[in-house]
Structures are given as structure tokens and as C-alpha cells.
Amino acid sequence: MEKDIEVRLRREHIPNGVKNKPTDFWLIYDFDINLDRFIGDFPIVKTLDKIFQENSIQEERDNKIANYLQMSGILSEKRKVKSYWLPSVEDALSAPVKLFFNPSGKCPNKCLTCFAEELTKDTLEDHVARESFNQAVEMPIFWMNLGGCELAFYPLYFEFAEKAIKNGIHTSTAISGVGLKRKWAEQARDLGVKIKVSLDGPKEINDIQRPGTYGAAVEAIKLFKEIGYPVRINAVHTKYNNDEKVIDEMFEIAKMYGATGIDLSICRPKGGALRNNLMIPFEDYKNGKVKSVIRRFLYHPYIEKYKMKVWINKNVRTLNYLDAKPCQALNIHCNGGRYSMGINNNGLVDGCVFLPEEYIPKANINTPELFTNLNFILNIWQNDPTFRKVREYTKGELCPECKEKGIEFVRGCKALEAYYEGIDPAKLLH
């Protein structure tokens, strides 16, 4: 019996003002086989698009697509294909590329940076979590963060991780290491989940922000190295570790215990970060301290010496180009509600959990409609009025000073801009 497959094509319009990007690009999604994603003018994408344009009759189009996929070697055998375009959305992609799926609010830790405390400590009911997850996977998405709280304790974690990875979705999770069991680590390794261990500096710094987790984090890093699956460190950049010496100590920890690199996420104004006063003082942006710390992070000698990898928020990534034309690196809009979305353990669906409250959609998956409308999550993304409001708010604007210099700079994180009274801190880094 022939196995049916779905091939979904998304024709996406990149908003005006973004240089060096094609006006349209295509993403191919195959529901049943792990088909690579193709972007831009890749020949397979062009051919499929041509088939779509020239064949309006569904059956004829699907037969031609099936024949082409088999002839091109993507399909090893003849299969029945169902193909269609996802409808376009103004000021956003037709479906999100990134999904932050946070099904559980249960966590043994008391991290000061935690934003989840603004939600609830509840966990989505299993049938609600499964249905919303399945719909999200089929939208389609291409990158998923399975997170929210300590998912090493979430019973459906591997069910969701396995399904996402089998569908070719890049899947990552950050853990504290608290309560980590070897069996869990080996299962994550065998599936290929991208694991990061949360660690904000040496013990005296980390245990301010993440009380009592330093030892567990170090043991987790060592365990993953021992089982042949080394991981990266995940750190939140706050006022406590905004210091070049702390950055040096973090790289030393990575080298000592076997981490392959460090991800540094700048602290956002939400939940515990606000209540516990962890935000970096604006003065540290103005006086150049933040710039020096991030420069040290991005150009640390251990990166080349020990082949480490680093990642940093897009709103400060412009520092990679400090010696050239820095603004060009930040030539993007805020992702919130335009490229990414979140599904949270309280049932709310949002474009970005860090945005001001008036821009958090009130759409909730705890409704019978989730089970009667198979496109319920997609409809929220495409039609929810608050998402349209978010997109208007997060739409990029050109920096007038840079424009006069012939450099295009689109402002970065809107949550940070709101916190710092309308001044985008990324603007101060170049």
C-alpha cells in the first residue's frame, strides 16, 4: 500500500527594509519523511514552485510532484502526495519558524531570572498538550525549544522530542542538571536533542541567580561528556556577571568540564528578572562596559584555541562587526509574533513572553475548539487580533542616524527598548 505524504510549501514575504534577503523564499515540509529544508533559489524549490504555478488541478499537481520527488531521489518509492500552500500573513511568515513550547510550570529550582513565575505552576493536561503540540508540528515549524521549566521531570518530554525530531525539527532544551539521571541523558543523546546546561558563571555568581544549582550543572556537563554527547552552557547576562573576569571564568569552566561552547542571552525585563533587580543598569550600556564584556565573549581566545562555539542575542550580535560596519549585522526586525510564537503551560499563546502585557495575546488553547478545529493553533497565528497588534508594534524601523551614513540598522528587542524608556540598548553598542 502506498504511504501518503504531505508536502507543504510556504511562500514567505520578507518585510521591506531588510537587505540581502530574497523577496520571496520557500520552505518545504514533508510530514512523513525527514526531508531537508530548502530556502531561496534551490533548484528543487524552483521546480516545485513551477509545478504549483502551472497545475491548478489538485490531482494532476500532486502526481507531478510525486513523480518529480521520486526522480530527484528525495522519495525512494512511489507515494501519494497531498500538496498545498499555506496562506500568507501580513507582516509575518505564514506560520512561525520557531516555537517555544512550555507545557509544564513545575520546577524544583528557584532561579531569580525565571519568567515562568508570571504564569502558573500548573502543567497542561496531557490531552491538551498532545493536541496543541501535534498541531504546532504540522503548521509546520522548523525549530522548537522544549522548555519553560525543568523538563527533565516532565513525563511527556521524550514523546514530544521524538516526534519533533522525526519530523526534522531542530529541537533543543535547557536544563539545570538538578535531578538529572544518566538514563535521561542517554535518551536525549540517542534522540539527538540539543541540550544546553544553564550556568551563569562561577559558583559565587551562579548561585546568586540560580541558588544551589552550580554543582548539579557541573555534574550534568561532565555526564554528557562521559556519554559522548558534550553540551553547551546556557547563561543569562545580568548585572551580576556583566564582567570580563566572569566571562573568562565561564570559558574556563567550559574547558575544564567539557562543554563545547557558551550561549549568552541578555537578561529580559520579565518575572523574576524585574522583581529581583537583575537587569543590567542602563549606565553600563552608556559607559561601554556592556560592549567590552560582549566583545570579550565574542572574541575570547578559547573559541579558536579549543574550537568552542558561542551564540548571543540578535539584538547585540552587531558586535561581531564592530571593526567594520556594525549596523549591517543587526539588519533584522524583532521576531515576536512575526517569526516565532510560544505555547505556555497556562494555555496562553504568545508572540514573545517578554513583551509588555498589552501585547500578550489572550488566545488560550484550553478550549474544546482545540479538538474540533485541526488548524486552531495556526488560526491563532494568522488571525488573532492581538497578534496583528504585536506585529505592528514589533515592526522594525530604520535608525535615522545610521541611515544618513548609508548603513541600515533595524532596531532590536522591543521588550528591552520599552524597559529602557524607549532607547534600544543595541543602538548603544555600535
Side-chain angles (χ1 to χ4, degrees):
M1 180 181 293
E2 291 183 353
K3 185 178 181 181
D4 292 359
I5 64 170
E6 288 188 357
V7 177
R8 307 181 181 195
L9 280 79
R10 294 164 47 176
R11 172 175 286 166
E12 312 291 15
H13 177 67
I14 301 297
N16 292 330
V18 180
K19 289 182 179 178
N20 304 321
K21 296 281 188 180
T23 301
D24 297 296
F25 69 89
W26 296 266
L27 301 176
I28 303 173
Y29 178 79
D30 184 330
F31 184 73
D32 287 310
I33 59 174
N34 188 5
L35 180 66
D36 290 337
R37 273 58 177 172
F38 302 103
I39 299 178
D41 60 354
F42 198 88
I44 290 177
V45 176
K46 280 195 167 184
T47 301
L48 288 173
D49 180 54
K50 185 177 180 181
I51 293 174
F52 260 85
Q53 300 300 324
E54 295 178 352
N55 296 272
S56 58
I57 300 176
Q58 178 82 36
E59 185 176 357
E60 293 180 1
R61 181 174 73 228
D62 290 350
N63 285 336
K64 290 184 178 181
I65 288 177
N67 290 335
Y68 174 71
L69 292 177
Q70 187 179 13
M71 289 174 55
S72 64
I74 295 175
L75 293 180
S76 59
E77 59 187 39
K78 178 72 173 180
R79 298 194 189 175
K80 184 178 179 181
V81 168
K82 177 184 177 183
S83 61
Y84 53 91
W85 289 110
L86 269 69
S88 60
V89 177
E90 185 176 0
D91 293 325
L93 301 184
S94 58
V97 171
K98 297 181 180 181
L99 175 68
F100 298 86
F101 190 73
N102 309 319
S104 175
K106 295 181 179 179
C107 183
N109 304 319
K110 304 293 182 183
C111 301
L112 271 62
T113 55
C114 184
F115 66 83
E117 64 179 36
E118 292 209 345
L119 303 175
T120 67
K121 295 301 181 182
D122 297 331
T123 295
L124 288 174
E125 293 185 53
D126 288 355
H127 68 295
V128 173
R130 283 191 173 102
E131 180 60 27
S132 58
F133 182 87
N134 290 340
Q135 289 194 23
V137 166
E138 296 179 22
M139 279 196 287
I141 57 172
F142 302 97
W143 181 91
M144 179 182 294
N145 182 70
L146 275 174
C149 286
E150 191 59 65
L151 287 194
F153 297 95
Y154 181 56
L156 299 183
Y157 177 80
F158 285 114
E159 176 184 327
F160 291 159
E162 182 176 5
K163 181 164 187 175
I165 289 170
K166 280 187 175 179
N167 282 281
I169 297 170
H170 177 96
T171 304
S172 64
T173 293
I175 63 172
S176 68
V178 174
L180 178 65
K181 304 296 184 184
R182 186 184 185 93
K183 182 179 179 181
W184 193 98
E186 290 175 340
Q187 196 168 349
R189 174 202 62 192
D190 294 343
L191 276 178
V193 182
K194 303 303 179 185
I195 298 294
K196 294 179 283 187
V197 176
S198 297
L199 187 70
D200 291 338
K203 184 175 179 14
E204 63 271 19
I205 298 295
N206 178 84
D207 283 0
I208 294 174
Q209 300 183 182
R210 303 180 187 274
T213 67
Y214 180 83
V218 166
E219 290 303 314
I221 295 170
K222 291 164 62 178
L223 173 59
F224 277 103
K225 182 183 179 183
E226 180 184 327
I227 65 174
Y229 196 61
V231 296
R232 284 158 71 166
I233 289 173
N234 180 59
V236 178
H237 186 185
T238 72
K239 69 177 186 180
Y240 289 112
N241 56 17
N242 185 42
D243 187 295
E244 290 185 55
K245 291 182 180 179
V246 175
I247 296 298
D248 289 343
E249 290 180 271
M250 289 176 66
F251 275 96
E252 188 62 33
I253 291 169
K255 177 181 78 72
M256 184 182 305
Y257 298 115
T260 59
I262 304 173
D263 293 1
L264 187 65
S265 299
I266 202 159
C267 191
R268 308 296 181 92
K270 195 76 169 184
L274 283 179
R275 195 188 75 249
N276 298 303
N277 191 27
L278 299 182
M279 297 294 292
I280 297 173
F282 190 62
E283 185 62 30
D284 283 356
Y285 284 98
K286 293 173 64 178
N287 64 24
K289 184 177 182 180
V290 176
K291 179 186 286 188
S292 296
V293 169
I294 296 177
R295 182 190 286 274
R296 181 64 176 169
F297 175 78
L298 290 172
Y299 300 120
H300 199 278
Y302 279 18
I303 295 173
E304 183 175 352
K305 186 175 182 179
Y306 297 106
K307 308 301 180 186
M308 290 187 181
K309 296 181 179 179
V310 296
W311 176 92
I312 200 163
N313 297 75
K314 69 178 185 300
N315 59 298
V316 291
R317 199 174 296 159
T318 183
L319 282 166
N320 280 300
Y321 295 81
L322 276 173
D323 301 322
K325 292 183 177 180
C327 291
Q328 291 180 336
L330 197 61
N331 201 6
I332 50 179
H333 299 287
C334 170
N335 285 342
R338 302 162 63 81
Y339 309 99
S340 61
M341 74 182 299
I343 298 177
N344 299 300
N345 63 298
N346 61 354
L348 289 180
V349 181
D350 61 57
C352 173
V353 72
F354 299 110
L355 289 175
E357 186 62 30
E358 62 266 33
Y359 297 103
I360 300 296
K362 303 306 179 188
N364 198 303
I365 61 174
N366 288 310
T367 170
E369 190 179 351
L370 175 68
F371 299 93
T372 59
N373 181 353
L374 297 181
N375 291 312
F376 182 74
I377 305 294
L378 181 62
N379 285 341
I380 291 175
W381 173 265
Q382 294 183 334
N383 302 311
D384 185 87
T386 314
F387 264 94
R388 291 197 292 269
K389 184 179 178 182
V390 167
R391 288 161 190 153
E392 184 63 31
Y393 176 63
T394 60
K395 189 184 298 184
E397 60 176 291
L398 301 183
C399 166
E401 297 174 22
C402 295
K403 190 175 182 181
E404 290 179 4
K405 301 174 186 176
I407 303 173
E408 188 169 351
F409 175 97
V410 181
R411 300 186 187 280
C413 176
K414 299 293 286 188
L416 286 174
E417 183 177 309
Y419 176 79
Y420 291 115
E421 299 181 353
I423 300 177
D424 179 2
K427 177 70 168 59
L428 301 176
L429 296 176
H430 70 278

